[in-house]
Amino acid sequence: MRAILVAGGIALIVTLLGTRLAIALLARRGYGQLIRDDGPTSHHTKRGTPTMGGTVIIVATLVGYFLAKLATMRAPSASALLVLFLFAGLGAVGFLDDFIKIFRQRSLGLRSKAKLAGQTLVAGTFALLALQYPDDRGQRPASPFISFIRDINWLHLSAALLVIWVLLLIAGMSNAVNLTDGLDGLATGASMMVFGAYTLVGIWQFNQSCVVAPGAKCYEVRDPLDLAVVAAALTGACFGFLWWNASPAKIFMGDTGSLSLGGALAGLGIMTRTELLLLLLGGLFVIITASVILQVGFFKATKGKRLFRMAPLQHHFELLGWAEVTIVIRFWIISGLCVATGLGLFYAEWVAGG
């Protein structure tokens, strides 16, 4: 358990101090955010705010995790390393996207096909590796079953279908966080809550694992405690970054941060066998993504009419006149309710199971 505290604490300190240095460095080099002309006009005041702050989150998480392993003299697990690979790999795709936006002065960054190709390469590698590395009990990092709170035994997938399922989950969650990252602190705060939830899930799964406490209610998860360490490092990194990213934001995470955080959420959901529960824990991300899908579908079906004034959903409320801080806090409340409901179901299943 000490590793969880060390990882979260170090990641928090690194982002608190490192983000301040990053703001000064990025501002001096002129690495500022570009604002799309078709977005809310109030966002034009944010033009030039340093971006690519997600780099600090990635560095802080990696430093927090590996120093925690060093402090406890424990070797990293395959599950944790794979989640960190997915996290950093999608962060690299996002970094390239941010880099193009800044240096080519093109607000859309990477072309959609190139961005999708990068995400698919990283996610596909993760999916294939997650089916390897069995432990002494034959448990692999990823399961061939679709899961809710545990594996759903009648939803067994072939290796090919499993890779496709993992690709869809990772692409969906990484893009969902990316869509949510439109207001100061919104995606950072919501992500922090979900990572905090996964810290608790990992601790509980370890305490009730089939290795520690075999029985009808035990969890068949390969490395639950080490996944909790990763989640704690991510929670601490987001917490420290939020200090500087809260309104008025001194720095934005950019696609570097949003794609990497979304990938980490998907990775934790896959490794802890809680893939469908992730859709509830990350309910805010799902709602915001659904608003974009509904907007596009309604626009095409009605030949030009709009369901919302603007999508994603947070911009709809901006155009209704809501203050940015009000939207962020109310959306955080929604995120908190989703996390609380998800954790409640997770615990209730254990109480009622057996």
Side-chain angles (χ1 to χ4, degrees):
M1 297 298 178
R2 183 176 60 165
I4 293 173
L5 297 176
V6 172
I10 290 177
L12 171 62
I13 293 170
V14 171
T15 46
L16 273 176
L17 302 179
T19 305
R20 181 66 189 91
L21 297 175
I23 292 170
L25 176 63
L26 293 169
R28 187 163 60 248
R29 292 179 175 272
Y31 294 176
Q33 178 71 34
L34 296 174
I35 304 298
R36 295 176 59 173
D37 293 331
D38 57 351
T41 56
S42 59
H43 286 205
H44 289 287
T45 59
K46 301 180 182 184
R47 186 184 301 272
T49 302
T51 188
M52 293 195 292
T55 306
V56 184
I57 297 176
I58 294 172
V59 171
T61 300
L62 295 176
V63 170
Y65 173 79
F66 285 108
L67 286 184
K69 302 309 291 183
L70 184 63
T72 56
M73 300 300 291
R74 299 278 186 177
S77 68
S79 298
L81 291 177
L82 283 169
V83 172
L84 292 174
F85 163 76
L86 180 63
F87 170 65
L90 289 180
V93 175
F95 182 86
L96 183 59
D97 190 45
D98 290 332
F99 181 88
I100 292 173
K101 289 177 184 177
I102 292 169
F103 286 93
R104 294 189 179 179
Q105 294 294 296
R106 192 173 74 205
S107 63
L108 294 180
L110 276 175
R111 302 295 183 187
S112 58
K113 290 183 179 179
K115 191 172 182 180
L116 181 60
Q119 290 175 291
T120 302
L121 177 63
V122 174
T125 303
F126 166 85
L128 292 173
L129 292 176
L131 295 174
Q132 313 302 318
Y133 311 112
D135 62 10
D136 295 337
R137 301 176 64 251
Q139 287 292 325
R140 301 174 190 274
S143 166
F145 298 92
I146 293 177
S147 59
F148 177 44
I149 293 173
R150 304 171 190 267
D151 286 341
I152 303 172
N153 292 331
W154 54 272
L155 285 179
H156 182 275
L157 301 177
S158 66
L161 287 177
L162 180 63
V163 170
I164 293 172
W165 165 245
V166 170
L167 288 174
L168 290 174
L169 194 62
I170 292 171
M173 190 54 63
S174 61
N175 287 310
V177 178
N178 185 252
L179 290 171
T180 305
D181 185 32
L183 301 181
D184 295 353
L186 178 56
T188 308
S191 297
M192 181 180 67
M193 295 181 202
V194 185
F195 287 130
Y198 268 114
T199 304
L200 298 177
V201 167
I203 293 172
W204 184 260
Q205 287 181 334
F206 172 73
N207 289 333
Q208 306 299 329
S209 72
C210 294
V211 176
V212 176
K217 295 182 179 181
C218 68
Y219 297 95
E220 290 284 5
V221 177
R222 191 187 188 286
D223 306 295
L225 189 59
D226 213 22
L227 291 171
V229 176
V230 173
L234 286 160
T235 304
C238 288
F239 214 119
F241 186 76
L242 185 60
W243 181 269
W244 302 102
N245 185 230
S247 183
K250 302 294 188 298
I251 189 171
F252 299 136
M253 70 168 70
D255 283 9
T256 308
S258 59
L259 292 184
S260 62
L261 292 179
L265 288 173
L268 287 170
I270 293 164
M271 298 301 189
T272 58
R273 316 302 203 253
T274 56
E275 296 156 359
L276 299 181
L277 183 66
L278 172 61
L279 302 182
L280 179 55
L281 292 172
L284 178 65
F285 303 123
V286 175
I287 292 169
I288 288 176
T289 303
S291 73
V292 175
I293 295 171
L294 289 173
Q295 180 83 322
V296 173
F298 190 79
F299 185 85
K300 291 182 177 179
T302 59
K303 294 181 173 57
K305 293 183 180 179
R306 298 178 184 273
L307 186 61
F308 305 106
R309 292 196 175 187
M310 183 176 290
L313 188 60
Q314 62 268 30
H315 299 320
H316 169 76
F317 290 104
E318 278 191 287
L319 295 183
L320 287 179
W322 289 24
E324 181 173 353
V325 173
T326 301
I327 299 169
V328 170
I329 292 175
R330 288 178 177 173
F331 276 38
W332 279 352
I333 292 171
I334 294 171
S335 181
L337 290 172
C338 291
V339 167
T341 303
L343 286 176
L345 284 176
F346 179 82
Y347 181 69
E349 186 273 344
W350 185 84
V351 171

mmCIF file of all heavy atoms in Angstrom, residues 162-210:
data_model
loop_
_atom_site.group_PDB
_atom_site.id
_atom_site.type_symbol
_atom_site.label_atom_id
_atom_site.label_comp_id
_atom_site.label_asym_id
_atom_site.label_seq_id
_atom_site.Cartn_x
_atom_site.Cartn_y
_atom_site.Cartn_z
ATOM 1 N N LEU A 162 -11.418 -9.766 -30.001
ATOM 2 C CA LEU A 162 -10.946 -9.092 -28.792
ATOM 3 C C LEU A 162 -10.084 -7.885 -29.136
ATOM 4 O O LEU A 162 -10.220 -6.818 -28.526
ATOM 5 C CB LEU A 162 -10.155 -10.069 -27.930
ATOM 6 C CG LEU A 162 -9.596 -9.487 -26.624
ATOM 7 C CD1 LEU A 162 -10.721 -9.052 -25.706
ATOM 8 C CD2 LEU A 162 -8.685 -10.495 -25.924
ATOM 9 N N VAL A 163 -9.213 -8.041 -30.118
ATOM 10 C CA VAL A 163 -8.368 -6.906 -30.539
ATOM 11 C C VAL A 163 -9.245 -5.766 -31.058
ATOM 12 O O VAL A 163 -9.019 -4.591 -30.727
ATOM 13 C CB VAL A 163 -7.359 -7.358 -31.615
ATOM 14 C CG1 VAL A 163 -6.657 -6.148 -32.231
ATOM 15 C CG2 VAL A 163 -6.336 -8.311 -31.006
ATOM 16 N N ILE A 164 -10.272 -6.096 -31.834
ATOM 17 C CA ILE A 164 -11.182 -5.074 -32.353
ATOM 18 C C ILE A 164 -11.913 -4.379 -31.211
ATOM 19 O O ILE A 164 -12.052 -3.151 -31.183
ATOM 20 C CB ILE A 164 -12.188 -5.700 -33.340
ATOM 21 C CG1 ILE A 164 -11.464 -6.180 -34.593
ATOM 22 C CG2 ILE A 164 -13.276 -4.697 -33.719
ATOM 23 C CD1 ILE A 164 -12.335 -6.979 -35.541
ATOM 24 N N TRP A 165 -12.377 -5.167 -30.230
ATOM 25 C CA TRP A 165 -13.072 -4.603 -29.069
ATOM 26 C C TRP A 165 -12.163 -3.653 -28.289
ATOM 27 O O TRP A 165 -12.571 -2.548 -27.904
ATOM 28 C CB TRP A 165 -13.566 -5.734 -28.175
ATOM 29 C CG TRP A 165 -13.990 -5.344 -26.792
ATOM 30 C CD1 TRP A 165 -13.406 -5.710 -25.620
ATOM 31 C CD2 TRP A 165 -15.096 -4.508 -26.424
ATOM 32 N NE1 TRP A 165 -14.059 -5.172 -24.553
ATOM 33 C CE2 TRP A 165 -15.106 -4.422 -25.007
ATOM 34 C CE3 TRP A 165 -16.067 -3.823 -27.141
ATOM 35 C CZ2 TRP A 165 -16.060 -3.688 -24.308
ATOM 36 C CZ3 TRP A 165 -17.021 -3.082 -26.440
ATOM 37 C CH2 TRP A 165 -17.011 -3.019 -25.050
ATOM 38 N N VAL A 166 -10.924 -4.061 -28.075
ATOM 39 C CA VAL A 166 -9.963 -3.218 -27.353
ATOM 40 C C VAL A 166 -9.681 -1.941 -28.137
ATOM 41 O O VAL A 166 -9.622 -0.839 -27.560
ATOM 42 C CB VAL A 166 -8.662 -3.998 -27.083
ATOM 43 C CG1 VAL A 166 -7.572 -3.074 -26.551
ATOM 44 C CG2 VAL A 166 -8.915 -5.120 -26.083
ATOM 45 N N LEU A 167 -9.531 -2.060 -29.449
ATOM 46 C CA LEU A 167 -9.297 -0.877 -30.288
ATOM 47 C C LEU A 167 -10.458 0.110 -30.177
ATOM 48 O O LEU A 167 -10.249 1.320 -30.046
ATOM 49 C CB LEU A 167 -9.101 -1.291 -31.744
ATOM 50 C CG LEU A 167 -7.788 -1.989 -32.103
ATOM 51 C CD1 LEU A 167 -7.824 -2.461 -33.555
ATOM 52 C CD2 LEU A 167 -6.611 -1.067 -31.880
ATOM 53 N N LEU A 168 -11.680 -0.400 -30.233
ATOM 54 C CA LEU A 168 -12.857 0.467 -30.135
ATOM 55 C C LEU A 168 -12.934 1.152 -28.787
ATOM 56 O O LEU A 168 -13.251 2.348 -28.694
ATOM 57 C CB LEU A 168 -14.128 -0.349 -30.398
ATOM 58 C CG LEU A 168 -14.348 -0.836 -31.826
ATOM 59 C CD1 LEU A 168 -15.566 -1.750 -31.893
ATOM 60 C CD2 LEU A 168 -14.524 0.341 -32.780
ATOM 61 N N LEU A 169 -12.645 0.409 -27.737
ATOM 62 C CA LEU A 169 -12.717 0.967 -26.386
ATOM 63 C C LEU A 169 -11.674 2.065 -26.191
ATOM 64 O O LEU A 169 -11.963 3.134 -25.636
ATOM 65 C CB LEU A 169 -12.518 -0.143 -25.354
ATOM 66 C CG LEU A 169 -12.874 0.184 -23.903
ATOM 67 C CD1 LEU A 169 -14.350 0.528 -23.768
ATOM 68 C CD2 LEU A 169 -12.515 -0.995 -22.998
ATOM 69 N N ILE A 170 -10.472 1.812 -26.648
ATOM 70 C CA ILE A 170 -9.395 2.798 -26.496
ATOM 71 C C ILE A 170 -9.664 4.033 -27.352
ATOM 72 O O ILE A 170 -9.526 5.178 -26.877
ATOM 73 C CB ILE A 170 -8.044 2.166 -26.867
ATOM 74 C CG1 ILE A 170 -7.668 1.097 -25.840
ATOM 75 C CG2 ILE A 170 -6.951 3.240 -26.942
ATOM 76 C CD1 ILE A 170 -6.468 0.266 -26.235
ATOM 77 N N ALA A 171 -10.052 3.821 -28.607
ATOM 78 C CA ALA A 171 -10.342 4.966 -29.481
ATOM 79 C C ALA A 171 -11.502 5.783 -28.933
ATOM 80 O O ALA A 171 -11.456 7.017 -28.920
ATOM 81 C CB ALA A 171 -10.661 4.472 -30.890
ATOM 82 N N GLY A 172 -12.541 5.082 -28.457
ATOM 83 C CA GLY A 172 -13.700 5.791 -27.933
ATOM 84 C C GLY A 172 -13.376 6.613 -26.709
ATOM 85 O O GLY A 172 -13.749 7.795 -26.618
ATOM 86 N N MET A 173 -12.643 6.034 -25.758
ATOM 87 C CA MET A 173 -12.360 6.753 -24.518
ATOM 88 C C MET A 173 -11.348 7.868 -24.725
ATOM 89 O O MET A 173 -11.481 8.954 -24.151
ATOM 90 C CB MET A 173 -11.876 5.771 -23.454
ATOM 91 C CG MET A 173 -11.787 6.374 -22.054
ATOM 92 S SD MET A 173 -13.319 7.175 -21.468
ATOM 93 C CE MET A 173 -14.439 5.778 -21.423
ATOM 94 N N SER A 174 -10.324 7.638 -25.545
ATOM 95 C CA SER A 174 -9.328 8.692 -25.768
ATOM 96 C C SER A 174 -9.949 9.881 -26.485
ATOM 97 O O SER A 174 -9.683 11.046 -26.140
ATOM 98 C CB SER A 174 -8.130 8.148 -26.553
ATOM 99 O OG SER A 174 -8.522 7.666 -27.827
ATOM 100 N N ASN A 175 -10.815 9.623 -27.451
ATOM 101 C CA ASN A 175 -11.483 10.719 -28.144
ATOM 102 C C ASN A 175 -12.551 11.368 -27.274
ATOM 103 O O ASN A 175 -12.825 12.566 -27.412
ATOM 104 C CB ASN A 175 -12.097 10.215 -29.449
ATOM 105 C CG ASN A 175 -11.043 9.934 -30.506
ATOM 106 O OD1 ASN A 175 -10.178 10.760 -30.781
ATOM 107 N ND2 ASN A 175 -11.083 8.763 -31.103
ATOM 108 N N ALA A 176 -13.142 10.605 -26.350
ATOM 109 C CA ALA A 176 -14.142 11.168 -25.443
ATOM 110 C C ALA A 176 -13.510 12.194 -24.510
ATOM 111 O O ALA A 176 -14.069 13.278 -24.274
ATOM 112 C CB ALA A 176 -14.812 10.053 -24.635
ATOM 113 N N VAL A 177 -12.348 11.866 -23.949
ATOM 114 C CA VAL A 177 -11.649 12.829 -23.092
ATOM 115 C C VAL A 177 -11.212 14.037 -23.912
ATOM 116 O O VAL A 177 -11.265 15.176 -23.455
ATOM 117 C CB VAL A 177 -10.444 12.165 -22.393
ATOM 118 C CG1 VAL A 177 -9.688 13.189 -21.543
ATOM 119 C CG2 VAL A 177 -10.911 11.009 -21.513
ATOM 120 N N ASN A 178 -10.796 13.789 -25.148
ATOM 121 C CA ASN A 178 -10.397 14.879 -26.037
ATOM 122 C C ASN A 178 -11.552 15.849 -26.292
ATOM 123 O O ASN A 178 -11.374 17.073 -26.289
ATOM 124 C CB ASN A 178 -9.885 14.297 -27.354
ATOM 125 C CG ASN A 178 -9.331 15.344 -28.295
ATOM 126 O OD1 ASN A 178 -9.936 15.663 -29.304
ATOM 127 N ND2 ASN A 178 -8.179 15.895 -27.959
ATOM 128 N N LEU A 179 -12.765 15.316 -26.495
ATOM 129 C CA LEU A 179 -13.942 16.162 -26.701
ATOM 130 C C LEU A 179 -14.316 16.931 -25.440
ATOM 131 O O LEU A 179 -14.813 18.057 -25.505
ATOM 132 C CB LEU A 179 -15.129 15.304 -27.153
ATOM 133 C CG LEU A 179 -15.061 14.712 -28.564
ATOM 134 C CD1 LEU A 179 -16.200 13.714 -28.768
ATOM 135 C CD2 LEU A 179 -15.129 15.811 -29.614
ATOM 136 N N THR A 180 -14.065 16.322 -24.285
ATOM 137 C CA THR A 180 -14.414 16.960 -23.013
ATOM 138 C C THR A 180 -13.469 18.091 -22.675
ATOM 139 O O THR A 180 -13.830 19.027 -21.947
ATOM 140 C CB THR A 180 -14.403 15.901 -21.887
ATOM 141 O OG1 THR A 180 -15.274 14.828 -22.248
ATOM 142 C CG2 THR A 180 -14.867 16.477 -20.564
ATOM 143 N N ASP A 181 -12.262 18.042 -23.206
ATOM 144 C CA ASP A 181 -11.244 19.042 -22.883
ATOM 145 C C ASP A 181 -11.497 20.333 -23.648
ATOM 146 O O ASP A 181 -10.735 20.718 -24.525
ATOM 147 C CB ASP A 181 -9.852 18.486 -23.230
ATOM 148 C CG ASP A 181 -8.738 19.417 -22.800
ATOM 149 O OD1 ASP A 181 -8.910 20.115 -21.787
ATOM 150 O OD2 ASP A 181 -7.699 19.444 -23.483
ATOM 151 N N GLY A 182 -12.597 21.016 -23.285
ATOM 152 C CA GLY A 182 -12.921 22.260 -23.978
ATOM 153 C C GLY A 182 -13.027 23.449 -23.063
ATOM 154 O O GLY A 182 -13.022 24.589 -23.512
ATOM 155 N N LEU A 183 -13.126 23.207 -21.749
ATOM 156 C CA LEU A 183 -13.221 24.282 -20.772
ATOM 157 C C LEU A 183 -12.141 24.096 -19.710
ATOM 158 O O LEU A 183 -11.707 22.978 -19.444
ATOM 159 C CB LEU A 183 -14.608 24.297 -20.102
ATOM 160 C CG LEU A 183 -15.817 24.466 -21.021
ATOM 161 C CD1 LEU A 183 -17.092 24.493 -20.200
ATOM 162 C CD2 LEU A 183 -15.701 25.724 -21.866
ATOM 163 N N ASP A 184 -11.741 25.183 -19.084
ATOM 164 C CA ASP A 184 -10.641 25.151 -18.120
ATOM 165 C C ASP A 184 -10.910 24.170 -16.984
ATOM 166 O O ASP A 184 -11.866 24.331 -16.217
ATOM 167 C CB ASP A 184 -10.411 26.541 -17.531
ATOM 168 C CG ASP A 184 -9.945 27.557 -18.565
ATOM 169 O OD1 ASP A 184 -9.678 27.143 -19.708
ATOM 170 O OD2 ASP A 184 -9.851 28.757 -18.231
ATOM 171 N N GLY A 185 -10.070 23.138 -16.890
ATOM 172 C CA GLY A 185 -10.135 22.193 -15.792
ATOM 173 C C GLY A 185 -11.167 21.099 -15.917
ATOM 174 O O GLY A 185 -11.198 20.183 -15.085
ATOM 175 N N LEU A 186 -12.028 21.146 -16.926
ATOM 176 C CA LEU A 186 -13.133 20.196 -17.013
ATOM 177 C C LEU A 186 -12.643 18.757 -17.155
ATOM 178 O O LEU A 186 -12.992 17.883 -16.354
ATOM 179 C CB LEU A 186 -14.047 20.561 -18.181
ATOM 180 C CG LEU A 186 -15.236 19.626 -18.434
ATOM 181 C CD1 LEU A 186 -16.102 19.502 -17.192
ATOM 182 C CD2 LEU A 186 -16.062 20.110 -19.629
ATOM 183 N N ALA A 187 -11.845 18.483 -18.171
ATOM 184 C CA ALA A 187 -11.378 17.112 -18.404
ATOM 185 C C ALA A 187 -10.408 16.669 -17.314
ATOM 186 O O ALA A 187 -10.417 15.503 -16.899
ATOM 187 C CB ALA A 187 -10.709 17.010 -19.773
ATOM 188 N N THR A 188 -9.576 17.586 -16.824
ATOM 189 C CA THR A 188 -8.609 17.231 -15.777
ATOM 190 C C THR A 188 -9.318 16.792 -14.512
ATOM 191 O O THR A 188 -8.995 15.750 -13.923
ATOM 192 C CB THR A 188 -7.696 18.431 -15.463
ATOM 193 O OG1 THR A 188 -7.128 18.936 -16.669
ATOM 194 C CG2 THR A 188 -6.577 18.012 -14.524
ATOM 195 N N GLY A 189 -10.301 17.574 -14.071
ATOM 196 C CA GLY A 189 -11.018 17.245 -12.847
ATOM 197 C C GLY A 189 -11.814 15.964 -12.968
ATOM 198 O O GLY A 189 -11.820 15.128 -12.055
ATOM 199 N N ALA A 190 -12.494 15.781 -14.102
ATOM 200 C CA ALA A 190 -13.283 14.560 -14.303
ATOM 201 C C ALA A 190 -12.380 13.332 -14.373
ATOM 202 O O ALA A 190 -12.696 12.284 -13.805
ATOM 203 C CB ALA A 190 -14.120 14.687 -15.577
ATOM 204 N N SER A 191 -11.254 13.442 -15.061
ATOM 205 C CA SER A 191 -10.311 12.325 -15.145
ATOM 206 C C SER A 191 -9.764 11.965 -13.766
ATOM 207 O O SER A 191 -9.637 10.779 -13.424
ATOM 208 C CB SER A 191 -9.145 12.678 -16.077
ATOM 209 O OG SER A 191 -9.587 12.910 -17.395
ATOM 210 N N MET A 192 -9.447 12.982 -12.981
ATOM 211 C CA MET A 192 -8.915 12.756 -11.632
ATOM 212 C C MET A 192 -9.877 11.921 -10.790
ATOM 213 O O MET A 192 -9.467 11.010 -10.065
ATOM 214 C CB MET A 192 -8.665 14.106 -10.962
ATOM 215 C CG MET A 192 -8.094 14.042 -9.567
ATOM 216 S SD MET A 192 -7.862 15.702 -8.912
ATOM 217 C CE MET A 192 -9.574 16.249 -8.773
ATOM 218 N N MET A 193 -11.178 12.200 -10.911
ATOM 219 C CA MET A 193 -12.174 11.438 -10.148
ATOM 220 C C MET A 193 -12.197 9.971 -10.565
ATOM 221 O O MET A 193 -12.259 9.072 -9.715
ATOM 222 C CB MET A 193 -13.557 12.050 -10.352
ATOM 223 C CG MET A 193 -13.729 13.438 -9.801
ATOM 224 S SD MET A 193 -15.424 14.040 -10.094
ATOM 225 C CE MET A 193 -15.172 15.813 -9.994
ATOM 226 N N VAL A 194 -12.139 9.719 -11.863
ATOM 227 C CA VAL A 194 -12.208 8.333 -12.341
ATOM 228 C C VAL A 194 -10.938 7.581 -11.968
ATOM 229 O O VAL A 194 -10.993 6.410 -11.565
ATOM 230 C CB VAL A 194 -12.458 8.279 -13.858
ATOM 231 C CG1 VAL A 194 -12.643 6.833 -14.312
ATOM 232 C CG2 VAL A 194 -13.688 9.092 -14.235
ATOM 233 N N PHE A 195 -9.787 8.230 -12.074
ATOM 234 C CA PHE A 195 -8.543 7.565 -11.676
ATOM 235 C C PHE A 195 -8.542 7.283 -10.169
ATOM 236 O O PHE A 195 -8.039 6.248 -9.727
ATOM 237 C CB PHE A 195 -7.330 8.417 -12.050
ATOM 238 C CG PHE A 195 -7.042 8.443 -13.528
ATOM 239 C CD1 PHE A 195 -6.854 9.650 -14.195
ATOM 240 C CD2 PHE A 195 -6.942 7.270 -14.257
ATOM 241 C CE1 PHE A 195 -6.587 9.682 -15.546
ATOM 242 C CE2 PHE A 195 -6.672 7.285 -15.617
ATOM 243 C CZ PHE A 195 -6.496 8.496 -16.264
ATOM 244 N N GLY A 196 -9.105 8.200 -9.385
ATOM 245 C CA GLY A 196 -9.237 7.946 -7.957
ATOM 246 C C GLY A 196 -10.100 6.725 -7.696
ATOM 247 O O GLY A 196 -9.803 5.903 -6.814
ATOM 248 N N ALA A 197 -11.174 6.586 -8.478
ATOM 249 C CA ALA A 197 -12.047 5.418 -8.347
ATOM 250 C C ALA A 197 -11.283 4.141 -8.675
ATOM 251 O O ALA A 197 -11.431 3.117 -7.983
ATOM 252 C CB ALA A 197 -13.261 5.565 -9.266
ATOM 253 N N TYR A 198 -10.454 4.181 -9.708
ATOM 254 C CA TYR A 198 -9.707 2.979 -10.082
ATOM 255 C C TYR A 198 -8.619 2.639 -9.062
ATOM 256 O O TYR A 198 -8.218 1.473 -8.939
ATOM 257 C CB TYR A 198 -9.126 3.122 -11.485
ATOM 258 C CG TYR A 198 -10.074 2.568 -12.526
ATOM 259 C CD1 TYR A 198 -10.681 3.403 -13.458
ATOM 260 C CD2 TYR A 198 -10.392 1.219 -12.536
ATOM 261 C CE1 TYR A 198 -11.573 2.886 -14.388
ATOM 262 C CE2 TYR A 198 -11.284 0.701 -13.456
ATOM 263 C CZ TYR A 198 -11.874 1.540 -14.372
ATOM 264 O OH TYR A 198 -12.774 1.020 -15.273
ATOM 265 N N THR A 199 -8.141 3.626 -8.323
ATOM 266 C CA THR A 199 -7.235 3.328 -7.216
ATOM 267 C C THR A 199 -7.950 2.471 -6.173
ATOM 268 O O THR A 199 -7.414 1.466 -5.692
ATOM 269 C CB THR A 199 -6.730 4.626 -6.569
ATOM 270 O OG1 THR A 199 -6.106 5.461 -7.565
ATOM 271 C CG2 THR A 199 -5.705 4.324 -5.477
ATOM 272 N N LEU A 200 -9.177 2.862 -5.837
ATOM 273 C CA LEU A 200 -9.969 2.089 -4.873
ATOM 274 C C LEU A 200 -10.330 0.711 -5.421
ATOM 275 O O LEU A 200 -10.288 -0.287 -4.692
ATOM 276 C CB LEU A 200 -11.236 2.859 -4.513
ATOM 277 C CG LEU A 200 -11.040 4.221 -3.824
ATOM 278 C CD1 LEU A 200 -12.386 4.893 -3.587
ATOM 279 C CD2 LEU A 200 -10.293 4.047 -2.507
ATOM 280 N N VAL A 201 -10.694 0.643 -6.695
ATOM 281 C CA VAL A 201 -11.034 -0.641 -7.319
ATOM 282 C C VAL A 201 -9.841 -1.595 -7.252
ATOM 283 O O VAL A 201 -9.984 -2.780 -6.895
ATOM 284 C CB VAL A 201 -11.479 -0.435 -8.782
ATOM 285 C CG1 VAL A 201 -11.521 -1.762 -9.536
ATOM 286 C CG2 VAL A 201 -12.853 0.226 -8.826
ATOM 287 N N GLY A 202 -8.655 -1.094 -7.588
ATOM 288 C CA GLY A 202 -7.465 -1.939 -7.560
ATOM 289 C C GLY A 202 -7.144 -2.442 -6.161
ATOM 290 O O GLY A 202 -6.776 -3.612 -5.977
ATOM 291 N N ILE A 203 -7.271 -1.567 -5.159
ATOM 292 C CA ILE A 203 -7.022 -1.977 -3.772
ATOM 293 C C ILE A 203 -8.007 -3.055 -3.344
ATOM 294 O O ILE A 203 -7.642 -4.071 -2.746
ATOM 295 C CB ILE A 203 -7.104 -0.759 -2.829
ATOM 296 C CG1 ILE A 203 -5.953 0.213 -3.109
ATOM 297 C CG2 ILE A 203 -7.077 -1.203 -1.368
ATOM 298 C CD1 ILE A 203 -6.075 1.531 -2.360
ATOM 299 N N TRP A 204 -9.286 -2.847 -3.673
ATOM 300 C CA TRP A 204 -10.312 -3.813 -3.281
ATOM 301 C C TRP A 204 -10.109 -5.150 -3.997
ATOM 302 O O TRP A 204 -10.223 -6.218 -3.388
ATOM 303 C CB TRP A 204 -11.697 -3.250 -3.583
ATOM 304 C CG TRP A 204 -12.804 -4.149 -3.109
ATOM 305 C CD1 TRP A 204 -13.539 -5.019 -3.851
ATOM 306 C CD2 TRP A 204 -13.277 -4.292 -1.769
ATOM 307 N NE1 TRP A 204 -14.453 -5.688 -3.072
ATOM 308 C CE2 TRP A 204 -14.306 -5.256 -1.782
ATOM 309 C CE3 TRP A 204 -12.930 -3.689 -0.550
ATOM 310 C CZ2 TRP A 204 -14.997 -5.638 -0.635
ATOM 311 C CZ3 TRP A 204 -13.617 -4.064 0.588
ATOM 312 C CH2 TRP A 204 -14.635 -5.023 0.544
ATOM 313 N N GLN A 205 -9.791 -5.091 -5.279
ATOM 314 C CA GLN A 205 -9.565 -6.328 -6.023
ATOM 315 C C GLN A 205 -8.358 -7.093 -5.476
ATOM 316 O O GLN A 205 -8.361 -8.334 -5.453
ATOM 317 C CB GLN A 205 -9.370 -6.032 -7.507
ATOM 318 C CG GLN A 205 -10.644 -5.636 -8.231
ATOM 319 C CD GLN A 205 -10.415 -5.379 -9.708
ATOM 320 O OE1 GLN A 205 -9.308 -5.018 -10.121
ATOM 321 N NE2 GLN A 205 -11.448 -5.553 -10.515
ATOM 322 N N PHE A 206 -7.345 -6.375 -5.034
ATOM 323 C CA PHE A 206 -6.176 -7.049 -4.446
ATOM 324 C C PHE A 206 -6.542 -7.718 -3.128
ATOM 325 O O PHE A 206 -6.183 -8.880 -2.884
ATOM 326 C CB PHE A 206 -5.047 -6.044 -4.222
ATOM 327 C CG PHE A 206 -3.886 -6.616 -3.445
ATOM 328 C CD1 PHE A 206 -3.018 -7.518 -4.040
ATOM 329 C CD2 PHE A 206 -3.678 -6.259 -2.112
ATOM 330 C CE1 PHE A 206 -1.951 -8.060 -3.321
ATOM 331 C CE2 PHE A 206 -2.622 -6.796 -1.396
ATOM 332 C CZ PHE A 206 -1.754 -7.694 -1.998
ATOM 333 N N ASN A 207 -7.256 -6.993 -2.280
ATOM 334 C CA ASN A 207 -7.639 -7.548 -0.978
ATOM 335 C C ASN A 207 -8.571 -8.747 -1.121
ATOM 336 O O ASN A 207 -8.608 -9.621 -0.242
ATOM 337 C CB ASN A 207 -8.298 -6.482 -0.116
ATOM 338 C CG ASN A 207 -7.319 -5.431 0.363
ATOM 339 O OD1 ASN A 207 -6.125 -5.716 0.490
ATOM 340 N ND2 ASN A 207 -7.787 -4.225 0.618
ATOM 341 N N GLN A 208 -9.351 -8.769 -2.222
ATOM 342 C CA GLN A 208 -10.300 -9.859 -2.448
ATOM 343 C C GLN A 208 -9.907 -10.690 -3.673
ATOM 344 O O GLN A 208 -10.760 -11.313 -4.300
ATOM 345 C CB GLN A 208 -11.712 -9.281 -2.651
ATOM 346 C CG GLN A 208 -12.183 -8.362 -1.547
ATOM 347 C CD GLN A 208 -12.265 -9.054 -0.196
ATOM 348 O OE1 GLN A 208 -12.519 -10.250 -0.124
ATOM 349 N NE2 GLN A 208 -12.057 -8.307 0.877
ATOM 350 N N SER A 209 -8.623 -10.703 -4.004
ATOM 351 C CA SER A 209 -8.191 -11.443 -5.185
ATOM 352 C C SER A 209 -8.202 -12.937 -4.899
ATOM 353 O O SER A 209 -8.166 -13.385 -3.742
ATOM 354 C CB SER A 209 -6.783 -11.010 -5.599
ATOM 355 O OG SER A 209 -5.822 -11.504 -4.683
ATOM 356 N N CYS A 210 -8.227 -13.727 -5.950
ATOM 357 C CA CYS A 210 -8.261 -15.181 -5.805
ATOM 358 C C CYS A 210 -6.933 -15.729 -5.305
ATOM 359 O O CYS A 210 -6.843 -16.902 -4.920
ATOM 360 C CB CYS A 210 -8.649 -15.827 -7.129
ATOM 361 S SG CYS A 210 -10.351 -15.444 -7.632
#
